[in-house]
Amino acid sequence: MTDGARILVIKLSALGDVVQSFGPIWAIRRHHADAAITVLTTSPYADLFRACPDIDEVWVDPRPKWCQPGSWLDLRRRLRGGGFSRVYDLQTSDRSSSYFRLFAGFCPLGRRVAPEWSGIARGCSHPHADPCRNDLHTIERQAEQLRAAGIVETPFPGLSWLRADVSGFGLKGDFVLLAPGGAAHRPAKRWPPARYGELAARLLTGGVTPVLLGSVAEAAAMAAIAAAAPGTVNLVGRTGFAEIAELGRRAKGAVGNDTGPMHLLAVIGAPCVVLYSKDSDPALCAQRGARVALLRRDDLSHLTADEVFAKLAEIGGFAVDDG
C-alpha cells in the first residue's frame, strides 16, 4: 500500500465482538502506518471507536433495509467516494459482505474500481478461505483473516486508552461488579435474579459491596437483586463503556452472564466469572483476559450462588467465609 492510503474497517456490532476487534485494529494501524483509517460501525459503538487512538474517522452505518433503494444508493455513493484502497471486513456477515458489491463497478477504461478487500465476500482480493473459520474463536478467526491479508501479528486487544471519571459513584472499599443482563430474546443465557441476590448478600456479609451494571432494559431484574441484598449499589443506566472499563480496573472481581460488558471487563483485566448455559458455546465466543473463569450448566438455574462465590473468591484472591 502507498503512503497516504485510505483504509476502511467494517465492524458493525456487537459489544463483545467490537471489544475483540481492537487487537486487529491495532495491527491494521501498524501495517498501514501512514494511512488514514476509517471505521464503519453502528451508532451504539461510534463513540467507543472514536476514543481509540488508532482510528482517524468513524462513520455510522445507516443499515438500510432492503426495501429502501434510495438509502442503499446513498451508502454506495459514500463508500465509493471514500477513496479507500483496502477494506478490512471484520464483521464478515451477509450485510457487510453485501457492501463489497456496492463498490463494484468499472471505470470507462474497463478497470475495476473496487478496493482490495479482506473478508469473505465472493470475489474479494484477500479472502479468508479457511473452511473451518466458523469453528474458530473470534480472536483466532480475525488473526487468521489478517494473516491472509499480509498482516502477520495480531495482538490481544488493549484498552488502556478507555478512561472515565467514576468518582461520582461514591464507591469505597472492595466491590464486585455484577452484570445480570443479556439479550432479551435469549433468556436461557441469564442466571436468575434470585441467584444474583443470594450472591450479592454473600458478598455483603464478607464486607464486599456488590455493584450492579446494566441498561434500563434490565432495570426490573436489577431492582429485584438490590432489594434482596440491601447495601447493593445499583448503577442501572448510569455506565457507558468507559465507565465500565474504569470500574473494572478497580473492582475486586466481576460476575455476569455471557454478555458484552463481561467481554469488556475481561479484556480490562478484572477477575471475571462468566456464566454459560447450553445456549452459548464458549469455544467460539468466550470472554478472554488474564483472569477469566467460566462456569457452565445446561440450565443456569441449577448453578448455585455458593459455586459462583467460590470461583470468584478463587480468581479474585479473597477468602471464602464458610461460617
Side-chain angles (χ1 to χ4, degrees):
M1 309 293 291
T2 60
D3 290 352
R6 289 181 55 80
I7 304 297
L8 178 66
V9 177
I10 302 175
K11 193 64 193 174
L12 306 178
S13 63
L15 179 55
D17 289 338
V18 166
V19 167
Q20 292 179 347
S21 75
F22 285 108
I25 288 171
W26 184 96
I28 291 166
R29 170 80 280 165
R30 272 70 195 169
H31 189 73
H32 303 284
D34 297 313
I37 304 225
T38 299
V39 168
L40 178 67
T41 189
T42 50
S43 56
Y45 310 106
D47 287 342
L48 179 57
F49 281 117
R50 289 187 183 109
C52 177
D54 294 320
I55 295 167
D56 297 298
E57 189 175 8
V58 175
W59 290 3
V60 175
D61 182 3
R63 294 182 65 84
K65 297 180 180 179
W66 302 113
C67 60
Q68 296 175 312
S71 297
W72 280 101
L73 289 172
D74 289 343
L75 180 59
R76 184 178 71 170
R77 278 191 292 269
R78 188 174 196 193
L79 290 174
R80 287 187 175 186
F84 302 113
S85 50
R86 181 177 286 192
V87 177
Y88 292 91
D89 176 11
L90 299 183
Q91 191 71 29
T92 57
S93 64
D94 289 343
R95 173 175 285 274
S96 61
S97 293
S98 75
Y99 293 173
F100 173 70
R101 295 190 289 276
L102 295 182
F103 280 104
F106 295 86
C107 73
L109 297 178
R111 291 176 297 180
R112 193 181 182 101
V113 298
E116 295 179 348
W117 186 285
S118 166
I120 60 171
R122 184 177 179 181
C124 70
S125 62
H126 294 76
H128 184 202
D130 183 351
C132 299
R133 68 181 305 277
N134 290 330
D135 297 325
L136 298 174
H137 186 278
T138 301
I139 286 180
E140 280 74 47
R141 185 173 65 250
Q142 292 184 143
E144 187 177 274
Q145 176 184 338
L146 293 192
R147 282 195 296 273
I151 300 178
V152 176
E153 178 187 3
T154 300
F156 187 76
L159 299 175
S160 61
W161 42 267
L162 189 58
R163 297 284 179 174
D165 179 4
V166 295
S167 60
F169 297 143
L171 298 173
K172 301 184 184 301
D174 291 338
F175 62 90
V176 165
L177 304 170
L178 304 181
H185 65 287
R186 301 182 71 182
K189 292 179 64 176
R190 300 188 183 202
W191 199 36
R195 292 282 192 268
Y196 275 105
E198 293 169 9
L199 176 62
R202 181 74 180 272
L203 289 166
L204 286 163
T205 298
V208 179
T209 301
V211 177
L212 294 169
L213 303 177
S215 68
V216 293
E218 285 92 42
M222 292 170 66
I225 295 166
T232 296
V233 175
N234 188 349
L235 297 182
V236 59
R238 297 178 61 191
T239 52
F241 301 138
E243 287 78 16
I244 293 172
E246 199 65 48
L247 290 170
R249 293 186 180 97
R250 304 175 187 212
K252 194 72 173 175
V255 176
N257 307 324
D258 171 27
T259 188
M262 294 306 295
H263 283 277
L264 181 52
L265 292 167
V267 166
I268 286 297
C272 290
V273 178
V274 190
L275 314 178
Y276 275 80
S277 73
K278 65 181 179 180
D279 273 30
S280 299
D281 185 354
L284 302 179
C285 61
Q287 287 72 11
R288 295 280 185 89
R291 293 181 289 175
V292 177
L294 308 181
L295 288 177
R296 194 177 191 192
R297 299 289 186 276
D298 284 352
D299 184 340
L300 278 178
S301 67
H302 296 160
L303 182 64
T304 69
D306 285 344
E307 291 174 284
V308 175
F309 182 83
K311 181 59 67 174
L312 177 64
E314 175 187 328
I315 68 167
F318 52 91
V320 177
D321 179 8
D322 293 322

